[in-house]
Amino acid sequence: AQSVAQPEDQVNVAEGNPLTVKCTYSVSGNPYLFWYVQYPNRGLQFLLKYITGDNLVKGSYGFEAEFNKSQTTFHLKKPSALVSDSALYFCAVRASAGYSSASKIIFGSGTRLSIRP
Amino acid sequence: EPEVTQTPSHQVTQMGQEVILRCVPISNHLYFYWYRQILGQKVEFLVSFYNNEISEKSEIFDDQFSVERPDGSNFTLKIRSTKLEDSAMYFCASSDGTVNEQYFGPGTRLTVT
């Protein structure tokens, strides 16, 4: 069964420093991986995805993620953190249910990112 | 930029009452979903919908739940007889392909008293 794990409940980083939010995945077949961000009292916003191709995926707001097949990781990164990046981040994987069907996304438990000025 | 919209933003209801949560997906999307998030917990899949029928549903989506696409734009989630444990944030999502990202609405906070 498909699953994702986010080993850190909270990540604290000083503004201007690089940040990493960790994610490990478990899938059968090709992985379709996503990162979403949730600001307080808001919905989930799509950041980026890995379907196929380059292992380094670039997304919104300067975020990027590195797909590592051998280590089954899909860590979210940003070279220089902003205070406004403080939010809840979810790693997610598409659960394979046939190409033509509406396939659900399975979310990790979330990591709260806190950027201090 | 097109977005998924949901109404109402907050619904308070008494246990045993029926509620209907409404969603307008992005107009050219064909795949529709409902998820929920109990306060402080992870986002959980409820149901997916394609071609006017349910594609998949979770254990949470029991006989008290139903979904409908009554016209070309709305996608609704009905809970027939609400329970206290149905209190959560309910998110609608849509996508234009099975492997593509899903776009989420702002959510409806359901409070069952």
Side-chain angles (χ1 to χ4, degrees), chain A residues 12 35 40 49 54 56-57 67 70 80 85 89-90 94 101 116:
Chain A
N12 300 307
W35 275 101
K49 66 181 177 186
D54 289 341
L56 187 64
V57 179
F67 172 70
S70 62
S80 178
D85 293 330
Y89 290 79
F90 291 96
R94 172 185 178 265
S101 62
R116 60 183 184 276

Side-chain angles (χ1 to χ4, degrees), chain B residues 66-84:
Chain B
S66 62
V67 289
E68 194 178 28
R69 187 154 163 82
D71 53 41
S73 60
N74 290 283
F75 181 50
T76 62
L77 174 70
K78 182 194 291 186
I79 309 175
R80 256 179 282 281
S81 177
T82 50
K83 308 187 199 62
L84 293 176

Side-chain angles (χ1 to χ4, degrees), chain B residues 10-25:
Chain B
H10 191 189
Q11 173 91 47
V12 181
T13 189
Q14 289 189 327
M15 196 166 53
Q17 295 297 304
E18 174 183 288
V19 294
I20 298 177
L21 309 184
R22 292 183 167 80
C23 168
V24 179

Side-chain angles (χ1 to χ4, degrees), chain B residues 18-75:
Chain B
E18 174 183 288
V19 294
I20 298 177
L21 309 184
R22 292 183 167 80
C23 168
V24 179
I26 294 173
S27 63
N28 63 336
H29 285 185
L30 300 176
Y31 303 86
F32 313 113
Y33 311 83
W34 284 100
Y35 294 81
R36 79 173 186 189
Q37 184 181 33
I38 295 172
L39 189 62
Q41 298 186 24
K42 68 196 300 185
V43 178
E44 302 173 291
F45 168 77
L46 291 177
V47 66
S48 59
F49 192 87
Y50 168 70
N51 202 25
N52 283 322
E53 60 182 22
I54 290 174
S55 295
E56 186 178 3
K57 57 186 181 180
S58 71
E59 299 170 345
I60 304 167
F61 194 89
D62 61 21
D63 292 345
Q64 295 301 311
F65 290 84
S66 62
V67 289
E68 194 178 28
R69 187 154 163 82
D71 53 41
S73 60
N74 290 283
F75 181 50

